[in-house]
Amino acid sequence: QVQVVESGGGLVQAGGSLRLSCTASGLTFDDYAMGWFRQAPGKEREGVSCINGSGSVSYYADFVRGRFTISRGNAKNTLYLQMNSLKPEDTAMYYCAAFYTPNCYGGGNWYDRRSGYWGQGTQVTVSS
């Protein structure tokens, strides 16, 4: 049984930093590209970042590029998202997903993905 669990969310002031973690079990971790998504109240879910199975290639949405860094530790089956220079508009529930492909663009655009194994989310709130 595959489980995906996010952690590390919380309340932070604008300009601050948070590091999200996502641990996946029940799968061969490096066979899966991994993505971070977020959903704010009243808005659609949007793709934040994606990293391929080996960790050698990553992609970012324009609104986080230069502020967020995705990484993975395959030996620990863990995905990370380092978030710096946080803004109030980054407030959202953040979700981790394991895609059914080792490449972010295998089978379509990563930011449009809805299939895969998804976690329950971790809340990030940025105060102004």
Side-chain angles (χ1 to χ4, degrees):
Q1 180 180 357
V2 176
Q3 286 191 318
V4 176
V5 180
E6 303 95 337
S7 62
L11 174 64
V12 64
Q13 288 188 332
S17 299
L18 279 176
R19 189 193 197 201
L20 305 184
S21 298
C22 168
T23 300
S25 59
L27 50 73
T28 303
F29 192 62
D30 54 5
D31 282 348
Y32 293 77
M34 300 291 295
W36 286 103
F37 293 73
R38 70 186 189 185
Q39 188 168 19
K43 296 187 177 182
E44 292 190 354
R45 185 176 295 184
E46 56 186 3
V48 174
S49 184
C50 181
I51 189 167
N52 70 345
S54 67
S56 60
V57 182
S58 56
Y59 304 91
Y60 297 92
D62 288 343
F63 52 80
V64 302
R65 188 173 291 112
R67 300 188 297 123
F68 291 10
T69 302
I70 192 171
S71 62
R72 62 192 296 161
N74 285 353
K76 295 184 177 181
N77 279 26
T78 303
L79 175 74
Y80 305 98
L81 186 68
Q82 178 66 44
M83 305 187 296
N84 299 329
S85 302
L86 283 161
K87 305 174 181 180
E89 51 264 43
D90 293 319
T91 294
M93 185 71 78
Y94 282 72
Y95 298 91
C96 166
F99 303 141
Y100 299 133
T101 170
N103 300 309
C104 289
Y105 282 96
N109 296 323
W110 62 269
Y111 44 86
D112 290 331
R113 296 285 180 86
R114 293 299 179 262
S115 62
Y117 299 109
W118 290 77
Q120 294 300 305
T122 185
Q123 177 68 38
V124 172
T125 303
V126 185
S127 63
S128 57

